[in-house]
Amino acid sequence: MAPSKDSVAAWSCKQVAQWLHEEGFGEYEELLCTQHRLDGPSLLALTEADLRGPPLGLMVLGDIKRLTLALRHLQRQNQAQLEELGLRPPDSLPTEPSLGPIGVEWSCDGADRRFNFGDRLSNGTELRLRNGDRPGYSPGVVLCHTHSNGRCRQHLAGRLDPEVWKTVISSIYVFLVFGFTSFVMVIVHERVPDMRTYPPLPDIFLDSVPRIPWAFAMAEACGLILCYMFLLILLLHKHRSILFRRLCSLMGTVFLLRCCTMFVTSLSVPGQHLKCASKTYGDTWGKIQRAMAIWSGFGMTLTGVQTCGDYMFSGHTVVITLLNFFVTEYTPQTWNLIHTISWVLNLFGIFFILAAHEHYSIDVFIAFYITTRLFLYYHTLANTRAYQQSRRARIWFPMFSFFECNVNGPVPNQYHWPFNKPAFMKTLIG
């Protein structure tokens, strides 16, 4: 028997499941009715934002739109019940808010002349609309999302705020981390174990593969090619500010962890070819000068920088792997040639690091694992916005929450030429 539409507010979860089945959305019965116990009143309060966001997170756009239309039809048939529940009927809501060029004012503090949807979403999100000139709805609407953690997220529909000031902060962060890493490398060099007392540790790869003298220079060459590829993508990507901010925050965090690991434990030199010995740089100023030399040379042998003792874990592997992941993440999936080249450079770079006997195998393995896991965890949290539901995530990842609080979901891979000239590039790329 079909559920009566005259008493939707009295429906049970079973009746909601029956309605979903009749409307052609049977595949979502388990998610909505069993996992999230959706009954009649909560069905009437359901919005498109609920369907898109966590914890539901529907991914099929057609299903989202069709289910939203069915919900609106059901809500229009039950306007009296909506008013009894304290919800504004859908006919009184603004539909398809346009982005007018004037009369826009940000409102996240609940000031007067605001337009409330009247319903709170299940994740504690309230949608508010405000016009800067007069009460009521008009073009130039700005969406403001106030989350249950008390923070406010502002954006125009369909637009990602570049938040350049946050990108500047992330740049300063990675800049300071690289400087601190250089200073720790000077400290570590003073404590490098004596090769006569502590010979190289047994390593299956290093013991099996003969050393290639030019391999480390090739590894750095692979890193430089990946760097140029990423810089080109960064130049052409529409959301370059977000990309660069994410690169800086991830790079800085991994290298900060590397500072801790190489300072805590000093490994013996991995090969007899390395002329490493404990070296004292005298006073603090001498150490700072040496750190500045490492810093300015990016720690690369191609720039004449030679370091010892910074083994756990491989910084070269971190940089090469992170650049590869950014290149493949922020280019379309159909760019198979670019992705293949990026991965080949990443894998060959790692091989050359090991073939040069500049790092133990465990250094490279741990560097690759930490970098890939951190990249995947960061982007999973950012794309699903699951951290908004977890106070623990906001406590343990405060920098992530700060940088990503206004990025609404995955960053689309859109490109445009950032300059006015030459005109053909503007026409070609957009």
Side-chain angles (χ1 to χ4, degrees):
M1 177 179 178
S4 173
K5 291 184 171 58
D6 296 332
S7 56
V8 176
W11 281 3
S12 64
C13 294
K14 185 176 180 180
Q15 289 173 301
V16 171
Q18 186 179 352
W19 178 83
L20 288 170
H21 182 75
E22 292 175 354
E23 295 293 330
F25 303 105
E27 60 186 292
Y28 298 113
E29 292 179 23
E30 173 72 19
L31 174 66
L32 297 175
C33 300
T34 304
Q35 295 184 27
H36 294 283
R37 299 193 293 275
L38 208 70
D39 57 6
S42 54
L43 180 67
L44 290 175
L46 199 63
T47 67
E48 183 175 347
D50 290 325
L51 299 176
R52 291 177 177 273
L56 297 180
L58 271 62
M59 300 301 294
V60 182
L61 181 60
D63 288 353
I64 293 173
K65 292 298 183 181
R66 284 187 289 271
L67 183 53
T68 300
L69 291 174
L71 287 170
R72 287 179 180 174
H73 181 69
L74 188 66
Q75 289 164 351
R76 289 192 184 96
Q77 293 180 335
N78 294 270
Q79 292 191 14
Q81 297 182 42
L82 282 173
E83 292 177 353
E84 290 178 4
L85 294 171
L87 302 175
R88 189 178 297 272
D91 289 337
S92 63
L93 294 178
T95 58
E96 299 299 333
S98 59
L99 303 177
I102 60 174
V104 175
E105 181 177 349
W106 299 107
S107 171
C108 289
D109 55 0
D112 58 337
R113 294 184 298 171
R114 76 183 181 184
F115 198 103
N116 265 326
F117 280 164
D119 62 322
R120 276 190 176 272
L121 307 182
S122 60
N123 62 354
T125 302
E126 184 179 2
L127 301 180
R128 302 174 184 173
L129 300 176
R130 177 175 179 179
N131 177 271
D133 296 327
R134 58 189 179 277
Y137 170 72
S138 70
V141 168
V142 177
L143 298 181
C144 171
H145 303 245
T146 304
H147 296 284
S148 55
N149 63 357
R151 296 181 179 177
C152 183
R153 173 164 57 88
Q154 309 166 356
H155 63 49
L156 292 172
R159 175 178 178 268
L160 287 174
D161 190 349
E163 297 184 294
V164 177
W165 66 279
K166 287 186 178 180
T167 304
V168 173
I169 292 176
S170 68
S171 303
I172 295 173
Y173 167 66
V174 74
F175 190 72
L176 293 176
V177 168
F178 282 163
F180 182 67
T181 301
S182 301
F183 188 79
V184 172
M185 291 168 72
V186 175
I187 303 293
V188 168
H189 196 171
E190 292 183 336
R191 301 170 48 220
V192 65
D194 188 353
M195 295 178 62
R196 294 168 296 183
T197 308
Y198 302 96
L201 299 173
D203 187 290
I204 292 177
F205 186 91
L206 301 188
D207 295 341
S208 305
V209 177
R211 175 178 171 263
I212 305 175
W214 46 265
F216 202 64
M218 290 298 299
E220 292 185 342
C222 291
L224 283 175
I225 297 172
L226 279 169
C227 183
Y228 293 141
M229 291 173 62
F230 175 74
L231 289 177
L232 181 60
I233 293 169
L234 193 67
L235 174 68
L236 300 178
H237 205 285
K238 183 177 180 180
H239 307 290
R240 63 185 64 86
S241 180
I242 298 175
L243 267 64
F244 191 66
R245 181 166 69 240
R246 288 180 172 180
L247 177 70
C248 289
S249 59
L250 285 170
M251 191 83 75
T253 301
V254 177
F255 270 85
L256 199 59
L257 175 62
R258 182 172 181 259
C259 288
C260 299
T261 57
M262 67 182 179
F263 178 78
V264 170
T265 303
S266 296
L267 297 178
S268 57
V269 177
Q272 296 289 346
H273 66 284
L274 294 171
K275 306 303 179 183
C276 285
S278 180
K279 187 173 182 179
T280 303
Y281 291 95
D283 56 4
T284 303
W285 176 242
K287 295 177 182 177
I288 293 176
Q289 286 182 312
R290 174 56 181 166
M292 290 292 293
I294 298 174
W295 195 9
S296 60
F298 301 101
M300 298 173 60
T301 57
L302 292 179
T303 60
V305 175
Q306 298 290 337
T307 60
C308 285
D310 53 323
Y311 298 124
M312 183 59 70
F313 43 88
S314 170
H316 284 72
T317 303
V318 169
V319 173
I320 292 173
T321 303
L322 204 54
L323 289 173
N324 168 39
F325 272 62
F326 268 89
V327 168
T328 53
E329 175 71 17
Y330 293 105
T331 51
Q333 294 182 356
T334 55
W335 291 17
N336 296 320
L337 179 61
I338 297 295
H339 296 175
T340 302
I341 293 173
S342 181
W343 270 106
V344 167
L345 289 170
N346 190 178
L347 297 177
F348 268 88
I350 290 175
F351 170 78
F352 285 135
I353 291 172
L354 292 172
H357 291 204
E358 293 286 337
H359 275 283
Y360 289 107
S361 301
I362 191 67
D363 299 348
V364 174
F365 174 79
I366 290 178
F368 183 82
Y369 182 82
I370 290 176
T371 305
T372 55
R373 295 313 97 183
L374 194 60
F375 180 92
L376 295 174
Y377 296 157
Y378 189 104
H379 283 76
T380 299
L381 285 174
N383 293 343
T384 62
R385 303 193 63 77
Y387 71 94
Q388 289 180 355
Q389 312 300 318
S390 172
R391 183 182 177 187
R392 179 181 298 175
R394 293 192 298 271
I395 292 174
W396 279 99
F397 308 108
M399 185 174 64
F400 168 84
S401 300
F402 170 71
F403 284 140
E404 299 294 332
C405 66
N406 293 337
V407 181
N408 187 25
V411 175
N413 289 324
Q414 301 169 337
Y415 298 90
H416 76 103
W417 183 250
F419 311 108
N420 293 326
K421 294 182 180 180
F424 78 90
M425 290 296 294
K426 194 77 174 177
T427 305
L428 179 64
I429 300 176

